Amino acid sequence: MAYRVKAAVFYRPHEPLAVEELELEAPRQGEVLVRVAACGVCHSDLHFMEGLVPIASPSVLGHEAAGVVEAVGHGVESVRPGDHVVLSFIPACGRCPYCAVGRPNLCTVANRAMSRGTMLDGTPRFAKEGRPVYQMGAIGGFATRTVVPEAGCVKIREDMPLDRAALLGCGVMTGVGAAINTARVQAGSDVAVVGCGGVGLNVVQGAALAGAGRIIAVDVLPHKLELARQFGATHAVDASREDPVAAVRQIAAGGVDYAFEVIGRPETIRQAFDMTRRGGLTVVVGVAPAGAEVSLPAGAFLTEKTITGSAYGGARMSVDVPRLVELYLAGRLKLDQLISRRYPLEGINDAFDALRRGEVARSIVAM
Ligand code: COD
Ligand code: ZN
């Protein structure tokens, strides 16, 4: 059986998304049909729309979604119709060498599906007049319904509001996870976060949850710095007015223990490295445009600095998402304050314009 759905489709860079009807195939073995409740608008979607990162086309964008299971394919055991789920854009296989060593965010099988925009078998479930339409992150969340791998579904409590749960699927997991899982920020340590957008604000709140001492927010927009304070930043540096490296080094004598880059630009990656103190850790969350390179001062390695990437906040989704839900319901994780605006699916291009102009922390598309 095929379903008719409404979805926002990417055809080529520098063009608005087309909101149109698509066919959606029923879930195959090991797959799940989900009615999407909400999908967050992330800068990574915009990277594709701006042609900075290649993606299969046509493609339904959206990788920060939550919804309700409507049907399951053969062999699906972990969820059933009616379950509330957060979707993961890395549906880890559980068997590859990365999964086996406890690093499911690096899963070979899931990352291949993610970069192709397909299910784990290499094909997408959306189609337009019989021709395949790909699914960003094996999700394609800007749609009224989608089909995802069972491993991409994380069941959550039904009293968790689905629009806020959607944010756990990317921005919150990527940001909080970078602080807690990747960096393992120590209580009392000094942290700098370069770029306080939807993901960076979550690095700030992850550092606060971990008990960091100074948390220095760096951005070029004063209202982002103001938001960062609400998420736990103790200091703010406006990089459009002063040299962020000198400012951070002055606030945290000689630099911070952990500096996070959450934009995806070679210059800001270098700034994050330079504001990291001797023996400290630089964590790169942002992904720079294809082909970009970063240069680092070779002498700095004598100071035992470490630089690492962080993919999906080092997520182990089945463990981390329920934990984040509990923190939210206990009033310890800020999600309501992240949602600056809500749009209907038809308004999705306005949501991307607002993100481009830096007006929002996060917008969500509510189906
Ligand atoms: N100095 C300081 N801050 C800056 C500068 C600068 N030179 N330039 C821009 N900023 C600020 C902006 O004002 C804004 O507040 C922030 O940086 C960026 O925030 P957003 O809201 O536009 O972007 P996010 O938070 O939605 O996304 C950031 C990512 C790093 C996740 C994204 O851009 C990215 O690199 N994605 C690729 C990585 C990826 O695919 N991850 C998996 C899915 S997210
Ligand atoms: Zn994202």
Side-chain angles (χ1 to χ4, degrees):
M1 186 171 81
Y3 303 85
R4 305 230 27 106
V5 300
K6 213 189 316 165
V9 185
F10 165 89
Y11 283 93
R12 52 192 79 76
H14 312 295
E15 275 182 18
L17 301 180
V19 178
E20 55 190 23
E21 276 211 352
L22 300 179
E23 300 106 49
L24 175 65
E25 200 189 304
R28 297 185 188 174
Q29 174 150 1
E31 297 173 359
V32 177
L33 173 72
V34 176
R35 179 175 62 74
V36 179
C39 185
V41 176
C42 179
H43 209 121
S44 299
D45 300 291
L46 200 51
H47 278 0
F48 297 119
M49 293 171 67
E50 293 181 335
L52 295 173
V53 183
I55 186 174
S57 92
S59 201
V60 178
L61 298 187
H63 59 282
E64 186 178 89
V68 179
V69 173
E70 282 197 336
V72 299
H74 285 296
V76 170
E77 289 177 349
S78 59
V79 290
R80 55 182 182 201
D83 282 351
H84 290 201
V85 289
V86 168
L87 303 184
S88 162
F89 60 83
I90 304 191
C93 76
R95 288 181 299 274
C96 75
Y98 293 103
C99 286
V101 297
R103 302 184 73 179
N105 58 324
L106 302 183
C107 171
T108 315
V109 179
N111 277 284
R112 193 186 309 132
M114 182 180 62
S115 55
R116 286 180 180 156
T118 65
M119 296 295 99
L120 299 175
D121 71 357
T123 60
R125 295 292 163 268
F126 290 115
K128 167 111 176 159
E129 286 144 19
R131 300 160 75 99
V133 175
Y134 296 91
Q135 306 177 231
M136 179 177 179
I139 296 181
F142 295 134
T144 48
R145 287 190 169 85
T146 187
V147 167
V148 299
E150 177 182 12
C153 289
V154 185
K155 188 176 160 161
I156 55 164
R157 284 170 57 167
E158 283 176 25
D159 54 346
M160 175 70 191
L162 282 169
D163 54 353
R164 274 140 282 178
L167 305 178
L168 303 178
C170 175
V172 178
M173 186 67 248
T174 302
V176 172
I180 288 180
N181 293 336
T182 307
R184 298 180 186 276
V185 166
Q186 299 267 304
S189 62
D190 291 331
V191 172
V193 181
V194 184
C196 297
V199 179
L201 288 172
N202 283 295
V203 178
V204 170
Q205 79 164 331
L209 276 168
R214 296 187 187 92
I215 303 176
I216 308 168
V218 181
D219 205 289
V220 289
L221 299 172
H223 65 278
K224 293 294 173 76
L225 294 171
E226 187 43 49
L227 263 173
R229 285 192 189 274
Q230 291 172 32
F231 279 78
T234 58
H235 298 72
V237 171
D238 183 342
S240 72
R241 302 172 69 111
E242 56 182 325
D243 171 7
V245 175
V248 168
R249 281 193 184 145
Q250 199 187 359
I251 295 165
V256 289
D257 300 295
Y258 308 91
F260 295 84
E261 197 274 358
V262 205
I263 305 165
R265 294 170 50 155
E267 317 84 84
T268 43
I269 294 170
R270 174 65 192 263
Q271 288 170 1
F273 186 76
D274 288 346
M275 60 179 69
T276 303
R277 72 166 53 120
R278 191 173 300 156
L281 175 66
T282 310
V283 180
V284 181
V285 179
V287 174
E293 297 196 353
V294 186
S295 73
L296 301 173
F301 294 111
L302 189 62
T303 63
E304 294 197 359
K305 289 197 204 184
T306 305
I307 181 164
T308 183
S310 177
Y312 211 173
R316 303 138 313 164
M317 292 297 274
S318 55
V319 175
D320 290 323
V321 167
R323 283 185 183 171
L324 292 169
V325 166
E326 294 302 321
L327 285 170
Y328 171 75
L329 292 173
R332 298 176 60 198
L333 183 76
K334 295 184 172 62
L335 299 179
D336 302 11
Q337 300 86 331
L338 272 177
I339 303 179
S340 313
R341 292 185 199 165
R342 288 163 208 270
Y343 292 86
L345 190 55
E346 290 72 17
I348 191 159
N349 290 300
D350 298 332
F352 278 109
D353 288 341
L355 179 62
R356 216 178 260 121
R357 289 193 297 263
E359 292 170 5
V360 292
R362 244 339 178 229
S363 296
I364 55 168
V365 174
M367 304 304 161

